[in-house]
Amino acid sequence: MKITGYRSLHTVHDWGRITGDVNGVQTGNTTPVPVLIIETDSGIEGVGLGAHTDVARVFPAIEGEDPRSVVALYDRMLDWVFKAGHSGATFGTIGAVDMALWDIKAKAAGEPLWRTLGGRERFVPGYASGLEYGLSGPELADLFEQFADRGFKAAKLKGGRDLDRDIPRLEIARDIFSRNARRPAIMLDVNESWNLAQAARNIAAIEERMDLTWIEEPLRRWDAAGMASLRGKVRTAIATGENLTGLEQYRPLLDANAVDIVQVGNVWGITHFLRVATLAHSRDLPVSPVAFNANPVAHAAAAVPNLLTFEVQDLHFPVGLDVDQYFDDGGIILGDRPGLGIIVDESQMSPAGSAPALLARTGPHIRPERAALRLVAEPDIIDVPAVSVRPAL
């Protein structure tokens, strides 16, 4: 079997609502979903999800190769771009290609990827996470009720700008998921919006009101010394790592004992997740993947010994993707369809180059100018509806 070509496609995920975090909120209800198809001479095709803007530069590293040599080809792609480096968009491209190659490998074996990777169980425990920063209190409650109906016992909220807004929202989530667990796990993701002093003060204020399971990305992603210091000041666990690319970026955090929960961005692919999970396991640390469309890394998560929980951002899938998984009992239940279990309906998609450019001036992927430099809570840069606190049950 040989790799012969690729197709780059574009679809969208329709959330039916706005999404965002402390850095900004999307202007509409849909977000782009890049889809990469890797072709072979056997007719088996692999599906990779995620931005792959560097695919023309990376593809020569794998062209003509046997896709089943996926681990070796992952390293070959890293070597191919070594002079310019493998961070950012290039690492995302490698992740999308890697995902497609694993899909081909499992399809060639006639089994789901979780089985190819050595998983014993198809169930992947998860937590609810809706990128819900722009929702009002009642809208937030309605969203999390849908997750609670599927048995979820844990939730993560976005915040970090104003505790008077964040704490009531955390309490809304706690009350909802209390119907499934005596002590539901409630987490807060502030997306690198605090400095060390702010983080220590704000977390202490939250912990006066409720138990917080983890604080996610409280400081800049590379601030190992700061996060190590913060660990000694708060009760909650420190979770970070979703934006790190390559094992070398995790080493300072692990060497400084700066992290309790090692996170991995799904967008970086299967092999990267497996390697980070092994690295974390060597330190007796749990790993938790950060979600992405159709949850492809859930297959790998099912096969590692130190999985803590998997982020689930929505209960639906992008337009044109038929995904063999469903949500129940507080997690993801993977199916038996070979590979990633994703069937692509290309009639509902467009070639990648035909997708309109996103000209957002703000949004969850753009860091605000005054992040971590606000002396007092300020009105948001977006018009977020006031919180309506959910009555006690």
Side-chain angles (χ1 to χ4, degrees):
M1 186 188 302
K2 303 295 182 185
I3 298 167
T4 57
Y6 66 87
R7 302 193 302 281
S8 186
L9 306 171
H10 169 87
T11 186
V12 297
H13 185 81
D14 187 351
W15 301 81
R17 55 184 171 84
I18 57 174
T19 55
D21 60 30
V22 67
N23 297 311
V25 172
Q26 301 283 3
T27 56
N29 291 353
T30 63
T31 53
V33 180
V35 180
L36 178 66
I37 308 294
I38 297 293
E39 303 163 345
T40 71
D41 60 0
S42 72
I44 299 176
E45 296 185 334
V47 179
L49 302 179
H52 48 272
T53 55
D54 259 3
V55 66
R57 183 159 72 101
V58 169
F59 184 74
I62 65 167
E63 188 173 15
E65 298 285 336
D66 189 323
R68 294 167 294 186
S69 304
V70 56
V71 174
L73 292 180
Y74 180 82
D75 288 317
R76 182 170 169 80
M77 287 188 285
L78 295 181
D79 291 343
W80 196 263
V81 299
F82 110 96
K83 198 68 174 178
H86 61 249
S87 62
T90 300
F91 200 66
T93 298
I94 291 172
V97 174
D98 175 73
M99 194 181 298
L101 297 182
W102 276 109
D103 189 34
I104 293 171
K105 186 178 180 71
K107 285 176 177 174
E111 60 188 10
L113 181 55
W114 62 268
R115 184 74 76 187
T116 300
L117 292 172
R120 181 170 174 266
E121 300 288 344
R122 68 182 68 240
F123 177 74
V124 178
Y127 66 91
S129 173
L131 306 174
E132 48 18 82
Y133 188 77
L135 302 184
S136 67
E139 290 170 333
L140 171 71
D142 288 344
L143 173 65
F144 279 155
E145 288 285 1
Q146 295 174 43
F147 281 96
D149 288 344
R150 303 291 184 98
F152 282 82
K153 305 175 182 67
K156 183 176 77 183
L157 291 88
K158 298 288 190 178
R161 196 177 183 101
D162 183 357
L163 288 187
D164 289 337
R165 183 176 190 271
D166 293 342
I167 293 176
R169 294 166 69 83
L170 291 167
E171 291 174 336
I172 289 172
R174 180 194 61 193
D175 292 346
I176 289 172
F177 291 99
S178 289
R179 69 176 163 101
N180 292 337
R182 184 165 49 88
R183 284 184 170 224
I186 304 299
M187 295 80 84
L188 179 65
D189 183 359
V190 301
N191 292 104
E192 305 182 53
S193 63
W194 292 338
N195 59 43
L196 176 57
Q198 289 171 337
R201 183 172 65 251
N202 291 339
I203 295 170
I206 295 170
E207 290 180 330
E208 288 179 359
R209 293 274 294 269
M210 62 181 297
D211 183 44
L212 192 64
T213 302
W214 80 53
I215 186 73
E216 185 168 323
E217 291 193 318
L219 309 175
R220 295 313 303 268
R221 64 196 70 171
W222 53 75
D223 189 0
M227 280 188 269
S229 175
L230 184 62
R231 282 189 75 213
K233 301 176 186 295
V234 299
R235 298 196 309 268
T236 189
I238 307 295
T240 192
E242 68 175 279
N243 291 306
L244 302 183
T245 59
L247 295 182
E248 72 281 356
Q249 295 187 12
Y250 285 86
R251 288 183 194 143
L253 291 167
L254 298 177
D255 290 344
N257 293 319
V259 58
D260 298 292
I261 298 157
V262 178
Q263 295 183 304
V264 190
N266 274 227
V267 73
W268 308 131
I270 304 294
T271 301
H272 174 65
F273 169 78
L274 292 172
R275 291 182 174 181
V276 175
T278 300
L279 181 65
H281 191 45
S282 73
R283 306 292 186 102
D284 292 319
L285 291 173
V287 67
S288 179
V290 175
F292 188 63
N293 295 293
N295 309 310
V297 175
H299 286 264
V304 299
N306 55 330
L307 174 70
L308 179 63
T309 184
F310 194 103
E311 181 179 30
V312 178
Q313 293 179 344
D314 199 17
L315 300 174
H316 304 90
F317 301 115
V319 174
L321 297 186
D322 182 333
V323 185
D324 188 22
Q325 63 182 243
Y326 64 97
F327 309 98
D328 198 10
D329 198 26
I332 302 169
I333 300 176
L334 300 167
D336 287 317
R337 186 182 292 165
L340 291 171
I342 299 173
I343 296 176
V344 178
D345 182 353
E346 295 188 34
S347 69
Q348 299 189 57
M349 300 187 182
S350 305
S354 67
L358 298 178
L359 302 177
R361 298 179 61 87
T362 183
H365 303 294
I366 300 174
R367 185 169 171 82
E369 293 181 4
R370 297 293 296 172
L373 294 173
R374 302 182 186 94
L375 186 61
V376 297
E378 303 168 0
D380 225 327
I381 56 176
I382 56 171
D383 183 20
V384 178
V387 171
S388 174
V389 179
R390 192 168 183 263
L393 300 178

